[in-house]
Amino acid sequence: MASVDEQHTASPFPELHGRGIRLRLWDADSDADVAIWLRGFTDPEFRRWNTPIRPVDDLATARRSLRAKTLGSVEGTAASYCVADAATGTPLGHIGVNAINPVLSNARVGYWVLPEARGRGVATRALAVASGWALGELGLHRLELDHAVGHEASCRIAERCGYRYEGTLRGAMFEAGRHDAFRDMHLHGRLGTDPEPQLP
């Protein structure tokens, strides 16, 4: 298996900067990054709206989950970033440009923010930076973003960043904490040809 330095060197994705944040690739060999990943996935608010396919509930499962994410970055199938404060480097959350399909020129975007960083526009700023890069430098045509119905904060963030509401997908994601029941989700989409959103 490649070392962390080799993984970062081999990744086709750059570090991103803008709007007071830094998006850096996650490091699955870093104990600090694994601990942050675990905190994000075990946060009650995250679990209210998201149910991972494979449980992430201790450091071992968090490392396996994060290693799978970093492998996607090396393979070019997903760009997984730790969102950090540009001035201090303090981790604030995660944003990923996932399921990158170079044939259809599209991808899916997902994010979460640590509890102490909420209410500061972190998700909006990270989504704006990542979207601009994916539709610009990466050259994708379409980005999709989905969230559980009822997650109004995610709805507002998506629309603020130019992701139009496109409909409700019935029974498209797991219920909170369950793998045997499903709930609806909202689908938002943004095209490279859409007008640039006007953000502060």
Side-chain angles (χ1 to χ4, degrees):
M1 179 173 289
S3 70
V4 177
D5 289 340
E6 288 170 336
Q7 285 182 3
H8 285 193
T9 299
S11 173
F13 303 125
E15 188 169 283
L16 305 176
H17 301 266
R19 299 184 177 274
I21 57 171
R22 168 191 173 207
L23 303 186
R24 64 166 178 85
L25 295 171
W26 287 98
D27 180 355
D29 289 329
S30 162
D31 290 343
D33 274 13
V34 171
I36 295 162
W37 192 256
L38 178 61
R39 283 188 58 219
F41 271 70
T42 54
D43 171 61
E45 187 67 8
F46 173 87
R47 293 206 164 184
R48 177 184 175 192
W49 301 112
N50 304 275
T51 303
I53 295 174
R54 293 179 182 83
V56 176
D57 48 23
D58 56 30
L59 288 172
T61 53
R63 191 178 299 276
R64 283 197 293 272
S65 171
L66 186 54
R67 197 172 299 284
K69 282 290 185 184
T70 58
L71 180 60
S73 291
V74 173
E75 293 176 340
T77 57
S80 297
Y81 289 108
C82 174
V83 181
D85 182 274
T88 65
T90 302
L92 306 172
H94 160 78
I95 190 160
V97 180
N98 308 306
I100 297 171
N101 185 327
V103 177
L104 292 175
S105 191
N106 62 25
R108 300 180 74 82
V109 182
Y111 52 83
W112 48 260
V113 176
L114 292 169
E116 66 272 19
R118 291 180 188 140
R120 294 160 44 189
V122 170
T124 299
R125 291 184 284 143
L127 183 58
V129 171
S131 300
W133 166 73
L135 294 171
E137 182 181 333
L138 192 58
L140 296 180
H141 167 66
R142 175 179 167 85
L143 295 175
E144 295 181 355
L145 186 159
D146 56 59
H147 61 81
V149 170
H151 197 343
E152 299 302 328
S154 266
C155 232
R156 289 193 299 271
I157 291 164
E159 292 177 345
R160 196 176 297 139
C161 290
Y163 287 76
R164 299 180 188 177
Y165 170 68
E166 296 185 341
T168 299
L169 305 181
R170 297 176 301 142
M173 65 186 301
F174 287 131
E175 284 281 5
R178 299 179 63 177
H179 289 123
D180 61 347
F182 299 86
R183 56 182 162 177
D184 298 348
M185 69 182 187
H186 281 172
L187 175 66
H188 297 258
R190 179 174 166 184
L191 302 181
T193 52
D194 286 341
E196 190 70 22
Q198 298 302 308
L199 293 171

